[in-house]
Amino acid sequence: MALVSGRIRLFVTICLLIVMSFSLSSCLTLMGLVNSHKTSVKKDYYKSFSSDAPLEQKYSQLGPFTVENSDFPSENKNIRKYRFWYPTEIFSTQHKYPVIIVVNASGTPAYKYEEWFKRLASWGFVVVGNEDPQAGTGETTSLTLDYVLHLSDYHKFYGKLDTNNIGIIGFSQGGAGALAAVTEYENGTFYKAIFTGSAAYPFLASNMGWKYDVTKVAVPYLMVAGTGRSDDKGVIDSSKEFAGVAPLSSLIENYSKLSNDNFKVRARAVGAEHEDMLARSDGYMTAWMLYQLTDDKEAEQVFLGNAAEILHNTNWQDVEKNR
């Protein structure tokens, strides 16, 4: 996952300092080059994760479904392919499956983290991604959602998707892109839940051209980040100097701007650096989507009420929620 490594953190800092001198497109081009050398998520990567919290441990691993994937071409040069991971049984049952749209992090087309898609789909989702390496504006995500919503009657997934239960997930730049997809595009109203991992904080996102307005989010939202310095450098004023990708102050700000009419949760993974957040958040990200898209009562126990597992899990701190 293209969560920020040391080289990328340095690049982001420099990019913020020179954003008035260089065009945004130049910054994004440089970012793509930096990230082009990132390695793929390794096979069975989730097996190295362990938690004493039983539900976090359960949902961080493979689910009960075997998984296949299919690709469909796109005329959009950034999307290139619409990529579907799905339970193998989907074509032998009348059941419709909830959908999760994934927004890529910087320089991270879906082919770089296929194992992540496979693991998530094993919990009974149709997980849809694309090959856009710079998805922060939300545009290609909106186009991908349109593709899902308007499948022709001869498409292999026609009639197989539960379009009343669509979630969206994004990490880093992809977190900003997920928020943009929900708030800046007309079809954003189709999303039923959102999860972001270390989403680029508003000042950083704005400088990079990744506009989002969290006050427009009208669906349940789980936001997480790491406590490490790559996510939070501990600066006093994050509008004057680079504060890390997703400092605690940004989570607090975004959380406070969300309506209390919707379930909202914020939390930070203890000791996690930005690049760790993919695996570190897998368990609760999966539980969140199961809870919101399938009304899973066991997954609900992670988040709901005073006995919620996330409140008592030492892997997480700075937890706040409104239900």
Side-chain angles (χ1 to χ4, degrees), residues 212-262:
Y212 64 81
D213 183 353
V214 74
T215 66
K216 296 180 182 178
V217 175
V219 294
Y221 181 12
L222 170 60
M223 63 182 80
V224 303
T227 63
R229 287 184 60 81
S230 49
D231 263 353
D232 192 342
K233 293 175 66 66
V235 306
I236 296 174
D237 188 345
S238 62
S239 68
K240 294 182 177 179
E241 58 180 313
F242 179 58
V245 181
L248 176 60
S249 59
S250 70
L251 270 68
I252 293 173
E253 177 185 358
N254 284 345
Y255 181 92
S256 69
K257 289 181 176 180
L258 293 168
S259 170
N260 278 318
D261 292 336
N262 298 300

Side-chain angles (χ1 to χ4, degrees), residues 190-206:
F190 282 91
Y191 294 110
K192 189 174 179 181
I194 180 172
F195 167 91
T196 62
S198 299
Y201 73 94
F203 180 72
L204 170 61
S206 177

Side-chain angles (χ1 to χ4, degrees), residues 59 121 137 142 148 158 162 184 191 199 207 213 235 238 276 281 283 298 301 304 321:
Y59 294 121
T137 67
S142 180
V148 167
Y158 181 78
D162 181 1
E184 304 299 322
Y191 294 110
N207 274 286
D213 183 353
V235 306
S238 62
D276 301 327
S281 62
E298 185 176 47
Q301 296 173 35
L304 196 60
K321 62 191 192 71

Side-chain angles (χ1 to χ4, degrees), residues 103-310:
V103 192
N104 298 327
S106 301
T108 312
Y111 80 84
K112 287 194 173 183
Y113 60 119
E114 291 184 342
E115 291 298 311
W116 182 89
F117 284 91
K118 292 177 183 177
R119 192 208 65 81
L120 183 55
S122 75
W123 287 98
F125 302 110
V126 175
V127 188
V128 182
N130 61 46
E131 300 296 342
D132 186 4
Q134 303 294 345
T137 67
E139 179 181 4
T140 56
T141 303
S142 180
L143 293 172
T144 299
L145 176 60
D146 272 345
Y147 180 81
V148 167
L149 292 173
H150 300 102
L151 298 177
S152 62
D153 56 9
Y154 58 84
H155 196 285
K156 69 185 294 184
F157 286 101
Y158 181 78
K160 298 296 183 180
L161 308 181
D162 181 1
T163 54
N164 291 318
N165 286 289
I166 302 176
I168 185 168
I169 290 170
F171 289 86
S172 196
Q173 179 184 162
L179 285 163
V182 170
T183 63
E184 304 299 322
Y185 296 86
E186 185 175 350
N187 63 4
T189 57
F190 282 91
Y191 294 110
K192 189 174 179 181
I194 180 172
F195 167 91
T196 62
S198 299
Y201 73 94
F203 180 72
L204 170 61
S206 177
N207 274 286
M208 297 303 293
W210 309 328
K211 178 184 176 183
Y212 64 81
D213 183 353
V214 74
T215 66
K216 296 180 182 178
V217 175
V219 294
Y221 181 12
L222 170 60
M223 63 182 80
V224 303
T227 63
R229 287 184 60 81
S230 49
D231 263 353
D232 192 342
K233 293 175 66 66
V235 306
I236 296 174
D237 188 345
S238 62
S239 68
K240 294 182 177 179
E241 58 180 313
F242 179 58
V245 181
L248 176 60
S249 59
S250 70
L251 270 68
I252 293 173
E253 177 185 358
N254 284 345
Y255 181 92
S256 69
K257 289 181 176 180
L258 293 168
S259 170
N260 278 318
D261 292 336
N262 298 300
F263 195 7
K264 55 183 180 178
V265 183
R266 66 169 172 86
R268 294 203 300 167
V270 176
E273 294 294 344
H274 190 71
E275 62 267 24
D276 301 327
M277 288 306 296
L278 175 75
R280 284 293 300 273
S281 62
D282 258 355
Y284 285 168
M285 173 271 293
T286 303
W288 182 250
M289 289 299 167
L290 285 169
Y291 172 29
Q292 298 299 334
L293 303 184
T294 73
D295 197 28
D296 187 298
K297 296 303 181 184
E298 185 176 47
E300 173 188 284
Q301 296 173 35
V302 171
F303 307 104
L304 196 60
N306 293 332
E309 184 181 272
I310 195 171

